[in-house]
DNA sequence: AATAATTAGTTTGAATTCAAACTAATTATT
DNA sequence: AATAATTAGTTTGAATTCAAACTAATTATT
C-alpha cells in the first residue's frame, strides 16, 4: 500500500493491518454461520476448532492457543457446556486443571464446521508463498518477544 | 519458532501471533497507565493517539484507523466527551458526519500520553529491519485483501 | 518439612464489542 | 427530477472481554 518513512509508523500500520485481519476473519465465518443458520458464535467456534484437532486439553492450554484470558475462558466453556457441546473432566494428574472433551453432540459438528475454518485460512492465503508467510510470522513473533520483556 | 508444514497451519499460527501482539500492546500500555496512575483506558488511549496526530476527523475515519465498528465508536467518543477530552462539532460539508476535536483538556494529555505509544512501538520494533517489517506488512495486507473479497 | 512462589480456574462488576435495526443525509442510477 | 443505493452515526440488548481479587493445588526454595 502506502510507504512508511520510519519504523514506528510502519509498526503502527502493521498493528492496524493486524486488527483488520481479525475483523475480516470474524466476518468471513459470520457469513457461513448466517448462511447455514447454525446456532454458534465466532468465539465458540474458535474453541471448537481447537478441540476438533485434539480434545482432552485444559482450559489454559486452549486459552494460550486462541489468546484469551482465563476468565473469558471460564465464561466460554460454561457456554459450550450449557449447549452440551463439551464437558469438563477431572485431570488425574493435576487436580487444579479441568480437561475439556467434546461430547457426541460437539463431535457431530466437526464435519460441518471444520471446513469453514480451513476454507477461511485457504482463502486468506490464496496466491501466497510459504516463505513470505514464514518471514511475516517470524517478524510478528519477534515483536511479540520484544513486547513480552517488561 | 516451530516450523509449519503447510500453509493453512502457517496462517493459523500467524493468526495466533497476531492476537497475541494486540494483547501484549494492551498490557504494555496498561503498565504505564497503572504506574502513572492516569484515569484512562486502553481503548480511549487508542483514539487519543489518533487525535494527537490530527484532530477534526469524523468518527468513521477514526474507526477505520483503529479498526472499530461504528457503534463501538459512538460509545467510546461519548465516553471521551463525558470526560471533557474531546468535542463533536458539526461538519459544514456533510451534515451526517461529526468532526472530533480535542479540547484543551484533551490536548493537555498529549505530552504525557503520546510518548507511551511511541515507546511501545519502539520497543516492539527493537532490533528489527525496516525491509523485513515491510515484507510482513505487505503479507498481512495481502491476506486482508483476500479475505475482503466475499 | 515448612514456606514462598506459581499456576488453573472462578467470581465479580464494569467496560467494550457485536449484530441488527434504525434515522437522516448524501451520492449514484434511472 | 425521482428513485435506489450508500454512508455516518445512533440505539438496543446480548455477548464477550477485561482487571482485580480470590481459592485450591502444585512446584520451587529455604
Amino acid at each position: 500500500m502506502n510507504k512508511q518513512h520510519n519504523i514506528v509508523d510502519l509498526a503502527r500500520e502493521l498493528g492496524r493491518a493486524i486488527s483488520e485481519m481479525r475483523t475480516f476473519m470474524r466476518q468471513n465465518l459470520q457469513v457461513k454461520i448466517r448462511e447455514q443458520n447454525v446456532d454458534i458464535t465466532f468465539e465458540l467456534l474458535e474453541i471448537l476448532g481447537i478441540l476438533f484437532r485434539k480434545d482432552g486439553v485444559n482450559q489454559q492450554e486452549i486459552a494460550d492457543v486462541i489468546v484469551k484470558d482465563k476468565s473469558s475462558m471460564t465464561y466460554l466453556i460454561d457456554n459450550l457446556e450449557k449447549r452440551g457441546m463439551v464437558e469438563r473432566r477431572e485431570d488425574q494428574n493435576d487436580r487444579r486443571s479441568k480437561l475439556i472433551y467434546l461430547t457426541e453432540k460437539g463431535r457431530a459438528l466437526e464435519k460441518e464446521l471444520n471446513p469453514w475454518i480451513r476454507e477461511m485460512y485457504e482463502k486468506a492465503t490464496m496466491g501466497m508463498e510459504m516463505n513470505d508467510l514464514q518471514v511475516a510470522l517470524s517478524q510478528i513473533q519477534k515483536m511479540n518477544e520484544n513486547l513480552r520483556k517488561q
Side-chain angles (χ1 to χ4, degrees), chain A:
Chain A
M1 301 268 137
N2 41 0
K3 279 263 189 309
Q4 253 61 45
H5 25 295
N6 66 61
I7 201 157
V8 168
D9 284 351
L10 195 52
R12 269 186 225 263
E13 191 56 34
L14 193 60
R16 199 194 145 281
I18 271 169
S19 304
E20 207 175 15
M21 183 168 157
R22 191 171 165 76
T23 300
F24 285 145
M25 296 200 314
R26 171 190 292 278
Q27 285 171 352
N28 218 275
L29 285 177
Q30 195 64 38
V31 168
K32 308 262 186 163
I33 289 170
R34 223 175 0 227
E35 278 176 359
Q36 307 300 319
N37 204 30
V38 175
D39 182 26
I40 194 85
T41 67
F42 174 75
E43 285 77 13
L44 299 184
L45 190 47
E46 278 187 291
I47 297 178
L48 290 178
I50 304 300
L51 295 176
F52 290 151
R53 313 186 99 197
K54 175 170 157 34
D55 63 353
V57 294
N58 69 29
Q59 298 185 190
Q60 189 57 52
E61 286 167 319
I62 300 172
D64 288 342
V65 179
I66 59 176
V67 192
K68 307 264 178 192
D69 80 2
K70 294 164 169 308
S71 59
S72 297
M73 217 55 216
T74 296
Y75 166 81
L76 294 168
I77 298 286
D78 279 355
N79 193 337
L80 282 172
E81 212 176 26
K82 274 179 207 143
R83 291 164 185 251
M85 294 170 178
V86 307
E87 58 180 17
R88 292 175 162 101
R89 292 195 206 151
E90 292 177 9
D91 183 345
Q92 302 298 343
N93 302 316
D94 186 340
R95 284 192 299 161
R96 290 171 305 180
S97 96
K98 300 178 183 172
L99 303 181
I100 311 302
Y101 283 89
L102 289 165
T103 60
E104 272 193 46
K105 189 178 170 193
R107 180 63 72 186
L109 292 167
E110 181 172 6
K111 215 164 182 176
E112 180 168 21
L113 305 189
N114 223 8
W116 296 0
I117 304 174
R118 163 166 284 272
E119 282 161 19
M120 183 199 60
Y121 283 115
E122 279 170 354
K123 181 175 181 184
T125 53
M126 215 149 39
M128 301 188 72
E129 294 292 335
M130 277 204 69
N131 282 346
D132 295 341
L133 266 190
Q134 193 83 55
V135 170
L137 175 57
S138 71
Q139 292 300 302
I140 308 277
Q141 287 176 334
K142 195 164 176 184
M143 292 177 78
N144 285 344
E145 276 170 53
N146 283 339
L147 287 168
R148 201 194 313 265
K149 303 174 200 146
Q150 281 308 346

